[in-house]
Amino acid sequence: MHFAQVIKHQLKALGYKIILLDYEEIFMNIQMVDGIIVKATMDTEKLMPTLMNLNVPVITIGRHNLSYGAHMLRVDDYLSGQTGVNHLLSRGYQNLVILTYPHGHVPGFDDRLNGASVALQQNGKLTTVITGNLTESFGYDTVVNLVQNNQLPQALFCLNDISAIGALKACKDLNSSIPDKLAVLGVDDMPTVSELLSLSTIRHPINELAEAAAKLMIKAIESDGQRIEPVEEVFPTELMVRRTS
């Protein structure tokens, strides 16, 4: 929603509005749509061939497995995974568990896991993964289950902040000190929330992504019918070390 808010302000200044639509609503309201910005997931990938036939600019945030000729704005998810693992190992945490989506659900998360796995392999370690929907409750339940089964690792690398927040809540309820009993690292750096919780995380430049998406969309819309060659831009990430690691 923060991403959508930034785009909204950018577009409003140029006389455009943003509307949030699901797949069916796009076709019901196609006369109101000048361009489409879509989050890259397994579900949206199924829709891409149809969306590309609507003759309006399409921008994906993150990558699909195929390009489909859409514009693409993304972060270096592979590097995020490597950075996270290297940070935890540098702090002395040798026993790590990674929380992520099931394989194929979101290509960007597969890239994060691949980067993390390579970093672990380079350090002579195996990759231990728990998959789920990466919600807050998933992070919470994962920590509770690990504690109950006496399998709590030294560190939990959650591939998004939302599941990391759930893990922090579970530690609080279980009186497990952070990072002494469990270090927690997220990915995203959700504005305000992650900093208030002092969550160590890999910052993804949400504002910059949203601003770039808005500018690119306006450029594509106002190109006087001339086709713009597909743009791919990769944004850097940044390790934010706070109290939880």
Side-chain angles (χ1 to χ4, degrees), residues 45 63-68 104 107 110:
E45 178 143 27
R63 73 168 185 86
H64 289 111
N65 290 305
L66 299 176
S67 69
Y68 303 99
D110 292 344

Side-chain angles (χ1 to χ4, degrees), residues 143-200:
V143 170
V144 170
N145 291 335
L146 288 170
V147 170
Q148 289 177 344
N149 290 295
N150 198 30
Q151 295 179 335
L152 193 68
Q154 291 176 298
L156 204 62
F157 185 13
C158 306
L159 297 192
N160 71 353
D161 281 355
I162 295 175
S163 58
I165 290 168
L168 294 181
K169 287 186 176 180
C171 289
K172 181 180 179 181
D173 290 348
L174 295 169
N175 293 316
S176 294
S177 62
I178 297 172
D180 297 332
K181 291 293 185 181
L182 178 69
V184 178
L185 178 67
V187 176
D188 285 331
D189 199 27
M190 293 170 57
T192 305
V193 177
S194 298
E195 190 168 359
L196 284 174
L197 294 174
S198 197
L199 172 66
S200 295

Side-chain angles (χ1 to χ4, degrees), residues 92-137:
Y93 306 115
Q94 301 299 312
N95 180 13
L96 315 181
V97 169
I98 300 171
L99 269 57
T100 188
Y101 283 111
H103 180 75
H105 188 79
V106 182
F109 279 77
D110 292 344
D111 293 341
R112 293 178 199 181
L113 179 59
N114 288 338
S117 297
V118 167
L120 286 166
Q121 184 179 21
Q122 290 172 341
N123 285 275
K125 300 185 181 304
L126 298 176
T127 303
T128 302
V129 178
I130 299 176
T131 61
N133 57 13
L134 287 195
T135 59
E136 188 175 310
S137 60

Side-chain angles (χ1 to χ4, degrees), residues 36 38 48 52 57-64 66-75 208-209 211-221 223 226-235:
I36 299 169
V38 59
M48 286 301 294
M52 294 304 297
V58 178
I59 299 173
T60 69
I61 306 302
R63 73 168 185 86
H64 289 111
L66 299 176
S67 69
Y68 303 99
H71 304 294
M72 184 196 311
L73 303 176
R74 64 181 181 86
V75 297
E208 290 85 347
L209 275 167
E211 290 169 4
K215 290 178 181 178
L216 179 58
M217 181 58 73
I218 295 299
K219 180 180 179 181
I221 291 173
S223 62
Q226 295 182 356
R227 183 178 181 274
I228 299 176
E229 287 299 314
V231 172
E232 179 177 0
E233 188 171 355
V234 181
F235 291 75

